[in-house]
């Protein structure tokens, strides 16, 4: 497959869509086998939209629900420094079994923020499913329950992942060409 150009940078195919489909299928199989009761999947937008859509079609757990959130940072009025907030979580999630759907976990800073915000809502359990994981960049102790593929520290785009907001629509995952 041919390399592509986004914002004047060249990207080459790294994980073709057939391989992505196999990875997603296998993750769904593992999640189904975990027999999580009345699961509430929480898809972290924007990057996870395509992964979430594909994996949800393969989830067979009874009473499956999905909700979509976005992590926003804003400067508090009283205190200085960044405060994070989850936007989009409409319902009461107390005592729910949560499965976070992430496109990619790099340092783990985002994941840690999301988990601490969900814990404040007194959920029963939190599991994490990520399509891509960069073990060399990960700085946290939080266990990741379902990993699609571990990848080196390369910048990737496509299948929901962006480079400066473009490239999310690409069916394959590309990596920056050196
Ligand atoms: P973390 O907080 O784990 O360092 O980073 C998580 C976020 O950084 C992801 O949700 C994603 O938005 C972005 N990110 C990290 N690595 C990549 C990458 O290789 N490609 C793209 N497009 N985004 C990335
Ligand atoms: Mg993301």
């Amino acid at each position: 497959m041919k390399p592509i150009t986004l914002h004047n940078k060249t990207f080459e195919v790294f994980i073709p869509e057939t391989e992505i489909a196999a990875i997603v299928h296998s993750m769904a199989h593992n999640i189904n086998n975990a027999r999580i009761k009345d699961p509430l999947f929480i898809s972290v937008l924007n990057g996870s939209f395509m992964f979430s859509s594909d994996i949800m079609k393969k989830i067979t757990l009874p009473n499956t629900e999905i909700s979509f959130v976005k992590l926003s940072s804003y400067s508090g009025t009283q205190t200085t420094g960044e405060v994070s907030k989850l936007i989009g979580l409409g319902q009461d999630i107390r005592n729910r079994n949560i499965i976070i759907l992430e496109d990619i976990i790099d340092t783990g800073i985002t994941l840690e923020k999301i988990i601490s915000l969900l814990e404040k809502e007194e959920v029963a359990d939190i599991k994490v499913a990520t399509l891509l994981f960069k073990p060399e960049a990960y700085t946290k102790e939080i266990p990741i329950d379902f990993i699609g593929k571990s990848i080196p520290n390369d910048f990737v785009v496509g299948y929901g992942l962006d480079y400066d907001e473009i490239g999310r629509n690409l069916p394959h995952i590309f990596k920056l060409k050196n």
Side-chain angles (χ1 to χ4, degrees):
M1 265 170 282
K2 277 191 301 188
I4 55 154
T5 302
L6 299 170
H7 293 310
N8 289 324
K9 285 201 162 54
T10 307
F11 292 84
E12 57 193 358
V13 174
F14 175 47
I15 314 174
E17 70 177 324
T18 48
E19 188 184 338
I20 298 171
I23 293 168
V24 170
H25 194 114
S26 146
M27 289 182 80
H29 180 79
N30 292 337
I31 293 171
N32 288 332
N33 281 344
R35 304 194 179 284
I36 299 154
K37 195 171 179 296
D38 300 340
L40 172 59
F41 288 82
I42 292 188
S43 168
V44 185
L45 296 174
N46 292 329
S48 300
F49 82 97
M50 217 178 263
F51 167 55
S52 299
S53 160
D54 284 343
I55 197 163
M56 291 310 290
K57 287 179 259 179
K58 307 230 173 313
I59 296 297
T60 54
L61 295 166
N63 306 318
T64 286
E65 287 179 44
I66 183 165
S67 197
F68 299 86
V69 300
K70 229 174 169 168
L71 189 67
S72 82
S73 297
Y74 61 95
S75 304
T77 46
Q78 304 289 65
T79 53
T80 48
E82 288 224 319
V83 186
S84 300
K85 196 180 146 187
L86 277 184
I87 312 179
L89 208 58
Q91 78 259 57
D92 183 4
I93 58 167
R94 204 150 61 102
N95 298 324
R96 297 300 307 265
N97 293 316
I98 308 290
I99 304 162
I100 296 172
L101 295 177
E102 266 288 20
D103 49 351
I104 188 163
I105 296 173
D106 188 40
T107 62
I109 292 168
T110 308
L111 178 69
E112 188 178 66
K113 282 183 187 163
I114 291 166
I115 288 180
S116 78
L117 290 165
L118 291 174
E119 279 172 344
K120 280 188 196 151
E121 306 291 320
E122 298 173 57
V123 296
D125 183 58
I126 301 174
K127 293 210 168 2
V128 183
T130 188
L131 178 65
L132 301 175
F133 177 51
K134 293 183 179 173
E136 291 156 30
Y138 196 57
T139 59
K140 305 295 175 186
E141 301 296 320
I142 305 160
I144 302 169
D145 305 272
F146 306 99
I147 295 172
K149 189 181 174 86
S150 291
I151 64 168
N153 262 345
D154 295 312
F155 185 77
V156 293
V157 294
Y159 195 71
L161 291 147
D162 71 304
Y163 171 42
D164 231 348
E165 293 307 326
I166 64 172
R168 295 191 196 274
N169 54 310
L170 297 164
H172 316 290
I173 293 169
F174 293 75
K175 72 171 183 185
L176 189 61
K177 203 166 177 231
N178 301 305

